Amino acid sequence: MAALTQNKSILSWIDEKVELVKPDKIVWIDGSEEQIEALRKEACSTGELIKLNEELLPDCYYHRTAVNDVARVEDRTLICSKKEEDAGPTNHWMDPEKAYKMVYDIARDSYKGRTMYVIPYSMGPIGSPLAKAGIELTDSIYVVLNMCIMTRVGKKVLEVLGDSNDWVRGLHCKCDIDAEKRWICQFPEDNTIISVNSGYGGNVLLGKKCFALRIASYQGKNEGWQAEHMLILGIENPKGEVKYICAAFPSACGKTNLAMLIPPEGYRKKGYKVWCVGDDISWIRKGKDGRLYAINPENGFFGVAPGTNEKSNPNALASTKKGTIFTNVARNLDDNTVWWEGLDKNPPVNAEEWTGNKVNGPEYKAEGKNLAHPNSRFTAPAVNCPCISSEFENPEGVPISAFVFGGRRAKLAPLVYQSRDWNHGVFVGSIMASETTAAAAGAVGVVRRDPMAMLPFCGYNMGDYWKHWIEIGKTLDPDKAPKIFNVNWFRKDDEGNFMWPGFGDNLRVLEWILKRCDGEVDAKETAIGYIPYAKDINIEGLEGEVSLESLESILDVDKSLWANETDGIAEFYQKFGDKLPKELADELDTLKANLK
Ligand code: GTP
Ligand code: SPV
Ligand code: MN
């Protein structure tokens, strides 16, 4: 098939890779509906995809990954900078020369008998000053179809790119899905990503975590902008004014849910609305007016299925009703639809669990087993979302009023607190910790440090990344800089129950955050920052779920627990040696002094 571009840097790079992997043929993805439809048909004919009920779920497909390949693999995800120090103590590093040799040896000849798909894609609205292009080569139709939902794909991307060399190289080879030979390598200094032996989302949709976070965070450091693991939502008040918040939570800790929340009834009646700009990644840059602006570089949602239902996230559920690919959920064989834990209380009787075995759903559940994998996902077009923001395609992005950090902490972290200023806010982000989830392979529920929710996604030394945050702050007029907060929807009581209802009710906390940004409400100064007075969080309509006393207890700052925490922070900080910005060391000293 003829190439879709004359760009020499692209053509010569593809030639090299063709020589390496030896495909039978090459197909350029032009972004046309006809081509996409033909690929869906082909994938169905080989069993790679299963077409779902056309009436109930039009244009929706089902896919299963290998059972050993259901999540990101952090210990096989490498940052291959020339110097180990540039990857830093929180990344797995390999010398680039050694890494290229290792993955090329695995990739060599691996496309024999297969097709090479060339996907030109844009992260961000095509032509936006904040957007960037990439080319992904893959031997998987599933990857092509997911990329066509998650990014802007096709000819137009190449037209806008022209002869430029500023694009990210991505080579994905399924190989044999051998977990022992699975590697996800980022070469930030070469704008290159190579992924072998996986077929799971974050490992193979190279525009997402690999480019839009790992490579882009490195680019942002050099070019004066930021790539963050943050959702973007707009909150419209009854006067019709919209303010935007970016929030960073670790994987499977509530970004998609917060980004699309439905306001509680009392708020809806007053005229509050929430608009979703993005659910996972933000690219952020200072605008002409001196404020920070964010775009969502993605074009779809790769969301966690379990727990998504009509009550928790109706907008996400609605987004999955057409043109969606479901991965590793369960199938209802009676009507050829999908099911997952937390969708409803009726697991299908005639079911196929996520690995493909036919089971009786209710009986299977009674044995305590899951029908869907805990990290099963939907890939849904952003345009499907009923609350998608009118600014979603705005090439300039939206102005940010607040940054919110948050994690899953059963104890310690209060429902919400505000930092004293920018540098203290950077400190608050840097000391984030959260219980691990099924989004990455490994143990679940273990508390680990996850600064800015970027632990698995920062493409360079985290100490330099913190410095970059501090430097950005210096360029901002304090009146225009976003205010920085921390939230925790996951505090538990001694019986292990969540103390805060979460989901739509999180708007009650966001309202306090916006009031703080506008200087409309007082707060209590504590050792860790500003905490709301309980009376200032609106709990009207939450009768029976949250009392003023229980609210007070989730807002509580336990000094002895926090004193313990400072030991953990100090130990973590120590890993960074002289890469730790002095500003953060000073903030830690201040916190310790405040806790005395
Ligand atoms: P990634 O796509 O992996 O980056 O995840 P995410 O941060 O978008 O997480 P998501 O919104 O998909 O939520 C993950 C899980 O957290 C789901 O099972 C949700 O039901 C649960 N969850 C989300 N928000 C809340 C909340 O406010 N309270 C509680 N208790 N659970 C929540
Ligand atoms: C995450 O794990 O944070 C995700 C899913 O958003 S993945 O694309 O697999 O990274
Ligand atoms: Mn994510």
Side-chain angles (χ1 to χ4, degrees), residues 227-260:
E228 300 294 341
H229 194 199
M230 289 180 172
L231 66 93
I232 313 167
L233 90 172
I235 298 169
E236 180 173 334
N237 70 15
K239 286 185 241 162
E241 299 158 345
V242 188
K243 297 223 161 94
Y244 296 91
I245 293 179
C246 281
F249 311 150
S251 303
C253 290
K255 289 182 300 301
T256 301
N257 277 273
L258 192 70
M260 304 178 188

Side-chain angles (χ1 to χ4, degrees), residues 209 229 249-257 279-280 302 304 306-307 377 408 439 489-490 498 501-503 506:
K209 295 313 195 335
H229 194 199
F249 311 150
S251 303
C253 290
K255 289 182 300 301
T256 301
N257 277 273
D279 81 324
D280 199 47
F302 186 63
V304 177
R377 299 260 167 179
R408 242 175 225 273
W489 316 137
F490 300 93
F498 288 120
F503 302 99
N506 292 333

Side-chain angles (χ1 to χ4, degrees), residues 41-71:
K41 290 229 163 76
E42 189 180 335
C44 288
S45 75
T46 61
E48 188 177 356
L49 291 184
I50 294 173
K51 178 149 176 55
L52 294 166
N53 186 316
E54 179 60 26
E55 239 127 80
L56 299 172
L57 294 169
D59 292 323
C60 290
Y61 293 83
Y62 177 75
H63 175 78
R64 278 195 290 269
T65 64
V67 292
N68 73 7
D69 188 29
V70 293

Side-chain angles (χ1 to χ4, degrees), residues 241-474:
E241 299 158 345
V242 188
K243 297 223 161 94
Y244 296 91
I245 293 179
C246 281
F249 311 150
S251 303
C253 290
K255 289 182 300 301
T256 301
N257 277 273
L258 192 70
M260 304 178 188
L261 76 81
I262 303 252
E265 197 187 345
Y267 283 80
R268 286 204 302 277
K269 283 199 175 137
K270 278 188 228 157
Y272 277 91
K273 290 180 184 137
V274 166
W275 302 108
C276 172
V277 183
D279 81 324
D280 199 47
I281 299 176
S282 297
W283 283 2
I284 302 161
R285 199 184 290 247
K286 194 159 106 173
K288 290 189 192 82
D289 63 359
R291 298 186 66 189
L292 289 184
Y293 282 73
I295 62 161
N296 169 12
E298 302 191 280
N299 203 26
F301 310 118
F302 186 63
V304 177
T308 306
N309 62 52
E310 205 46 75
K311 185 159 179 280
S312 65
N313 195 347
N315 285 319
L317 197 61
S319 305
T320 68
K321 293 298 179 191
K322 58 179 188 223
T324 293
I325 301 171
F326 296 90
T327 303
N328 294 340
V329 300
R331 237 171 15 118
N332 180 337
L333 297 176
D334 284 332
D335 61 3
N336 193 24
T337 59
V338 286
W339 193 87
W340 51 76
E341 274 63 32
L343 174 64
D344 55 38
K345 298 210 164 73
N346 313 308
V349 174
N350 188 13
E352 192 180 64
E353 50 78 274
W354 71 273
T355 70
N357 295 312
K358 291 205 171 70
V359 296
N360 175 309
E363 285 174 12
Y364 202 69
K365 298 287 324 158
E367 292 166 32
K369 296 186 198 151
N370 286 333
L371 286 170
H373 187 275
N375 191 39
S376 53
R377 299 260 167 179
F378 54 80
T379 316
V383 290
N384 283 1
C385 182
C387 67
I388 195 73
S389 166
S390 60
E391 302 305 295
F392 176 69
E393 295 281 353
N394 186 338
E396 306 295 330
V398 294
I400 302 307
S401 297
F403 283 130
V404 178
F405 296 116
R408 242 175 225 273
R409 292 296 301 259
K411 300 285 169 203
L412 192 81
L415 180 63
V416 58
Y417 68 103
Q418 181 186 4
S419 66
R420 288 182 295 272
D421 54 31
W422 181 274
N423 281 357
H424 180 230
V426 177
F427 173 74
V428 167
S430 79
I431 66 167
M432 266 173 71
S434 191
E435 293 151 23
T436 51
T437 66
V444 167
V446 183
V447 176
R448 68 170 186 185
R449 298 268 149 222
D450 190 348
M452 281 85 168
M454 283 290 276
L455 181 74
F457 307 121
C458 185
Y460 62 106
N461 191 307
M462 185 75 74
D464 290 330
Y465 164 83
W466 290 331
K467 181 142 195 358
H468 184 50
W469 263 89
I470 287 165
E471 292 300 322
I472 295 270
K474 285 185 192 157

